Amino acid sequence: MRAFWRSAAGRLARDRKGAAMVEFALVAPIFLGLLLATFELGILGMMSANFNGAVDSVSRRIRTGQADRPNSAAEFRNLICAKMVDTVANCQSRVLVTVQPVDAGFSSARSMLQAQDPNNLTGQQAYDPGDPEQIILVTATYRWPMALPFLGDAFPRDTSGRVQIVSRIAFRNEPFE
């Protein structure tokens, strides 16, 4: 009987059927997780670049005093959303905007930027485009839901767990008249 078990164990050790399937089952979840993480980070990077470009473009309308410059935070947000790759309805519910003049110089704008807590921007929608030659500070936040929540740990988050893409611009208005 002992010889039977030894020969059976020997046959089992030599049998390689199904080994590839077992190896795939061990490696596939890791590979698919890395693949999804790469796509997610790529999309987040694309959204961040798109959002920064949109905020910069709309802020230029304020800086140059163009006739079609936004007159409210809602209009500023709508102009940003028109330039985003996200749907307008999704974008409008995800974007928060603050446009405010700075009384002192750019060093004061820097200290205001450092004092802002990106986790505490929810609900702030101030809008004051300032006067000619006045320094303006624009802070726009885009709340992006992550499909893989553990990836967003390196980014600031709001209270609902969405990653916050923050775009901040400080500039001096041109002497428009």
Side-chain angles (χ1 to χ4, degrees), residues 4-31:
F4 171 75
W5 288 113
R6 279 190 202 155
S7 65
R11 284 192 310 266
L12 186 60
R14 288 187 302 272
D15 189 7
R16 296 292 178 206
K17 294 178 189 170
M21 186 174 15
V22 171
E23 290 171 358
F24 179 76
L26 293 173
V27 174
I30 296 168
F31 175 72

Side-chain angles (χ1 to χ4, degrees), residues 73-134:
E75 195 174 326
F76 193 92
R77 185 181 62 241
N78 291 342
L79 289 170
I80 289 172
C81 289
K83 295 180 179 296
M84 294 288 293
V85 295
D86 198 1
T87 63
V88 174
N90 279 344
C91 179
Q92 289 174 344
S93 67
R94 294 177 178 168
V95 174
L96 299 171
V97 175
T98 302
V99 178
Q100 58 191 5
V102 178
D103 295 328
F106 279 103
S107 61
S108 176
R110 177 185 290 166
S111 63
M112 287 176 70
L113 281 174
Q114 291 171 343
Q116 285 181 342
D117 180 12
N119 297 321
N120 198 17
L121 292 175
T122 53
Q124 294 181 11
Q125 296 277 342
Y127 185 82
D128 182 359
D131 298 323
E133 298 188 26
Q134 191 172 19

Side-chain angles (χ1 to χ4, degrees), residues 8-176:
R11 284 192 310 266
L12 186 60
R14 288 187 302 272
D15 189 7
R16 296 292 178 206
K17 294 178 189 170
M21 186 174 15
V22 171
E23 290 171 358
F24 179 76
L26 293 173
V27 174
I30 296 168
F31 175 72
L32 292 175
L34 287 173
L35 188 65
L36 289 174
T38 302
F39 285 136
E40 180 96 36
L41 289 175
I43 290 170
L44 182 63
M46 179 196 68
M47 291 305 293
S48 178
N50 184 232
F51 183 63
N52 285 326
V55 171
D56 187 46
S57 175
V58 176
S59 295
R60 180 164 172 65
R61 293 181 182 192
I62 295 172
R63 183 171 47 247
T64 59
Q66 293 179 7
D68 64 344
R69 77 181 190 173
N71 294 318
S72 67
E75 195 174 326
F76 193 92
R77 185 181 62 241
N78 291 342
L79 289 170
I80 289 172
C81 289
K83 295 180 179 296
M84 294 288 293
V85 295
D86 198 1
T87 63
V88 174
N90 279 344
C91 179
Q92 289 174 344
S93 67
R94 294 177 178 168
V95 174
L96 299 171
V97 175
T98 302
V99 178
Q100 58 191 5
V102 178
D103 295 328
F106 279 103
S107 61
S108 176
R110 177 185 290 166
S111 63
M112 287 176 70
L113 281 174
Q114 291 171 343
Q116 285 181 342
D117 180 12
N119 297 321
N120 198 17
L121 292 175
T122 53
Q124 294 181 11
Q125 296 277 342
Y127 185 82
D128 182 359
D131 298 323
E133 298 188 26
Q134 191 172 19
I135 296 174
I136 305 298
L137 179 62
V138 175
T139 303
T141 304
Y142 187 83
R143 298 171 299 186
W144 180 255
M146 297 286 284
L148 301 173
F150 64 87
L151 285 179
D153 290 343
F155 303 98
R157 292 177 175 262
D158 66 2
T159 55
S160 65
R162 293 178 290 187
V163 169
Q164 293 187 340
I165 302 170
V166 181
S167 179
R168 296 179 174 128
I169 301 172
F171 56 87
R172 183 183 304 273
N173 279 342
E174 293 180 4
F176 47 85

